[in-house]
Amino acid sequence: MPEHMIDLGLNFDNSYAEQLEGFYVQVKGDEAPAPKLLYLNRSLADSLGFDLDKLPADQLAAVLSGGITVKGGSSIAQAYAGHQFGHFNPQLGDGRALLLGEVIDKNRNRQDIQLKGSGATPFSRGGDGKAALAPILREYVIGEAMHLLNIPTTRALAAVATGEEVMRDEPLPGAVLARVASSHIRIGTFQFFANRKEGDKVKQLADYAIARHYPEVQTADNPYLEFLRAVAKRQALLIAKWMSIGFVHGVMNTDNVTISGETIDYGPCAFIDKYDPTAVFSSIDHQGRYAFASQADIGQWNMARLAEALLPLIDVDSEEAVRLASKTLDDFAEHYRESWLALMRAKLGLSTCEENDPVIISELFDLMEAQSIDFTLLFRGLADVLQENKSGLLNLFLEAAPFERWLATWSERLARETLPDEERIALMNGVNPLYIPRNHIVEEALQAAEKEANYAPIEKLMDVLSDPYTAREGLEEYALPPSADLAPYKTFCGT
Ligand code: AMP
Ligand code: MG
């Protein structure tokens, strides 16, 4: 084995590298000057087959920052294009990431292990290929929080400090994130080849993606149309789930939309505190393209971009292909609506469906918007009302009377439900989190890590978020919105 190669004993099976030549370039990561393992997701590492007792932390740090080649791994940067804020960029690709390889995990699932921030690649377009510590920790914390909130997502495996400074507006400590995803195939991966009129490659990629993620459509009359439908359905569900917890992705470019339906790229994302459908946090989203309430429409727009790439596969007659694809995309809104309604009903403790439910739900949102009510506290507080404790919830409202009227309507509706209250309360508390990664708390913890190398706040936060649904004594401040005098929260891309 050459020097600087390590055998991790993982069950590698690099199907992307093996089956899709021409879809990537071989790359090597940079050797970090002083790699230090900051966080390791032990249960995830274990499920992937890492033998943690055999691997000393310093070796893990070197491997997971990209400086050592892994025996059996693939070490590639994937090509992709993408619509960024509505504008097509034909040439993106992994400019600061490398796919370490695909592992068949202990549950027989195929998982990508990718390093982000491991150095420049042929796709770097003048960028340094690096990442700063705070955004890496941010992705670690929020990605894991999303997972624990039952949202499909890529997951953080490790965060490694490189011991190197990266130059942004100022020099910042550098880091690498190791993340795990069921794949990194994006809408933009299809667009890359469709744009180059490489129809055979689009087909090859579609066949690969179908086999990997949607084998059930292989036998359909029109597998590519069914593939489009299946991807759209998963994206509709994903976005509905975001909407059910107040998550704003912030950069829903087509290169950041996975075919698998997992949330990817936690750059400028944020959670809303007070309910505001127009909420935007990203410093560069001047038009509010990716605002909270626009996410489903953007999801559908993104699906149309995937459809465009697939059209020649859907039907040889281009008009027929457009007709079929459009019909399929029309279903997106319906899938989204159904998924969202199901999630909202659960949040309100409803286990049956009534025609008027959407009205009750939208009245609640209107009230929340009119009085800028904290999204998370409102939903969490509903179960308290069922336990004769409604003062906390009423206190959220400056003017409580309209909300009291809504509570009466809700209560009448609940009277037609059959579940005993006790069960309903448990179900509601299992879908309405108390602890979310509140922006101001995340920010404070990141600042402490970045500026003072003080990791205590972030560790505490991770501990709080490890169980978002169970109220625990002493953690009250983690459930609270920011004080009113705090400046509006802003997030930044590509850091
Ligand atoms: P993102 O905003 O992280 O989704 O990245 C969008 C594109 O910019 C992708 O092609 C990234 O690989 C690339 N990119 C972001 N930051 C860097 C960087 N520091 N160096 C090189 N490429 C980058
Ligand atoms: Mg991205």
Side-chain angles (χ1 to χ4, degrees):
M1 202 158 54
E3 209 188 332
H4 281 104
M5 184 179 268
I6 190 169
D7 186 353
L8 295 175
L10 294 175
N11 189 5
F12 279 114
D13 180 30
N14 304 311
S15 64
Y16 198 94
E18 278 156 24
Q19 296 172 34
L20 296 175
E21 202 160 317
F23 291 68
Y24 59 85
V25 287
Q26 209 77 47
V27 289
K28 279 187 77 164
D30 290 350
E31 215 169 299
K36 182 168 172 259
L37 194 59
L38 296 174
Y39 293 107
L40 177 68
N41 191 334
R42 291 198 157 259
S43 62
L44 183 59
D46 184 55
S47 78
L48 290 169
F50 277 87
D51 188 347
L52 295 174
D53 298 329
K54 273 210 202 124
L55 279 167
D58 59 337
Q59 277 203 9
L60 260 180
V63 171
L64 295 176
S65 56
I68 303 184
T69 309
V70 177
K71 185 165 178 253
S74 58
S75 203
I76 60 174
Q78 294 173 312
Y80 53 84
H83 273 89
Q84 299 183 302
F85 291 90
H87 302 287
F88 186 64
N89 187 333
Q91 180 78 33
L92 293 168
D94 289 333
R96 56 164 169 174
L98 75 79
L99 181 63
L100 204 72
E102 290 163 43
V103 166
I104 308 299
D105 73 10
K106 286 186 177 167
N107 301 316
R108 310 290 311 155
N109 292 322
R110 179 180 297 277
Q111 307 280 9
D112 276 8
I113 304 178
Q114 196 202 55
L115 307 181
K116 181 168 175 178
S118 52
T121 77
F123 300 115
S124 294
R125 297 173 296 141
D128 62 0
K130 309 278 174 169
L133 173 72
I136 290 300
L137 293 177
R138 196 162 187 280
E139 176 153 350
Y140 194 108
V141 171
I142 299 186
E144 275 310 280
M146 291 285 276
H147 171 71
L148 292 156
L149 289 163
N150 301 315
I151 315 289
T153 177
T154 63
R155 292 189 63 189
L157 173 63
V160 181
T162 57
E164 180 180 58
E165 280 191 336
V166 296
M167 207 47 212
R168 297 296 181 256
D169 287 340
E170 54 186 320
L172 294 172
V176 174
L177 179 81
R179 73 178 174 196
V180 171
S182 69
S183 87
H184 284 85
I185 308 169
R186 309 143 192 267
I187 292 180
T189 321
F190 285 88
Q191 291 182 291
F192 183 89
F193 298 100
N195 174 62
R196 292 156 63 118
K197 308 269 183 285
E198 295 186 290
D200 51 340
K201 283 222 165 82
V202 178
K203 179 172 183 314
Q204 207 184 337
L205 182 64
D207 290 338
Y208 174 85
I210 288 171
R212 185 161 172 178
H213 294 294
Y214 300 94
E216 66 280 6
V217 311
Q218 272 166 333
T219 51
D221 287 344
N222 190 337
Y224 304 109
L225 185 66
E226 290 314 308
F227 170 60
L228 176 65
R229 189 191 313 281
V231 176
K233 208 169 169 178
R234 268 198 220 171
Q235 279 295 328
L237 174 62
L238 178 67
I239 297 170
K241 287 194 161 207
W242 292 351
M243 299 301 289
S244 76
I245 52 156
F247 177 77
V248 183
H249 181 279
V251 62
M252 292 174 71
N253 296 335
T254 55
D255 52 303
N256 289 335
V257 180
T258 59
I259 294 304
S260 66
E262 288 174 344
T263 313
I264 192 169
D265 274 5
Y266 288 94
C269 69
F271 281 78
I272 52 175
D273 293 298
K274 60 177 192 275
Y275 176 64
D276 171 9
T278 68
V280 171
F281 299 94
S282 168
S283 61
I284 59 170
D285 191 358
H286 306 298
Q287 315 286 326
R289 178 179 172 87
Y290 299 139
F292 180 64
S294 303
Q295 296 187 111
D297 286 347
I298 288 291
Q300 186 164 13
W301 190 91
N302 286 340
M303 283 307 126
R305 306 290 77 76
L306 176 63
E308 279 166 5
L310 296 174
L311 282 179
L313 300 178
I314 289 174
D315 203 290
V316 282
D317 173 350
S318 59
E319 272 180 34
E320 179 62 2
V322 169
R323 194 187 67 77
L324 290 170
S326 308
K327 203 159 157 278
T328 302
L329 291 181
D330 286 346
D331 294 343
F332 180 94
E334 185 58 29
H335 285 315
Y336 169 75
R337 181 92 188 140
E338 265 173 31
S339 305
W340 182 80
L341 262 180
L343 292 163
M344 293 316 302
R345 281 199 174 99
K347 287 175 84 70
L348 294 188
L350 305 176
S351 50
T352 60
C353 302
E354 287 190 8
E355 215 178 306
N356 195 46
D357 291 345
V359 177
I360 298 179
I361 296 166
S362 73
E363 279 173 4
L364 179 61
F365 276 93
D366 289 347
L367 281 169
M368 285 165 66
E369 184 180 356
Q371 297 198 48
S372 298
I373 304 302
D374 186 84
F375 185 95
T376 306
L377 286 182
L378 184 284
F379 283 105
R380 181 71 184 192
L382 289 175
D384 295 339
V385 175
L386 301 180
Q387 297 168 95
E388 308 304 325
N389 177 11
K390 64 176 174 181
S391 62
L393 200 48
L394 289 179
N395 282 341
L396 296 177
F397 288 82
L398 210 55
E399 195 198 334
F403 182 59
E404 294 225 58
R405 284 196 291 278
W406 183 88
L407 284 176
T409 312
W410 178 53
S411 176
E412 275 167 35
R413 171 66 182 85
L414 284 180
R416 293 190 294 279
E417 288 276 317
T418 50
L419 272 188
D421 261 1
E422 218 168 274
E423 277 179 48
R424 187 185 339 285
I425 290 162
L427 284 175
M428 288 173 73
N429 283 339
V431 292
N432 292 318
L434 176 60
Y435 309 114
I436 55 157
R438 297 251 180 206
N439 306 321
H440 65 291
I441 299 176
V442 172
E443 210 47 43
E444 221 176 82
L446 294 180
Q447 289 290 320
E450 183 185 277
K451 302 269 187 288
E452 301 151 32
N454 173 9
Y455 290 90
I458 213 158
E459 270 155 39
K460 178 77 193 239
L461 177 59
M462 286 200 232
D463 179 51
V464 172
L465 297 173
S466 69
D467 186 2
Y469 298 106
T470 312
R472 279 159 288 161
E473 225 164 278
L475 301 184
E476 292 74 14
E477 65 182 301
Y478 289 88
L480 294 179
S483 64
D485 53 351
L486 211 66
Y489 189 61
K490 276 259 162 282
T491 60
F492 301 91
C493 262
T495 40

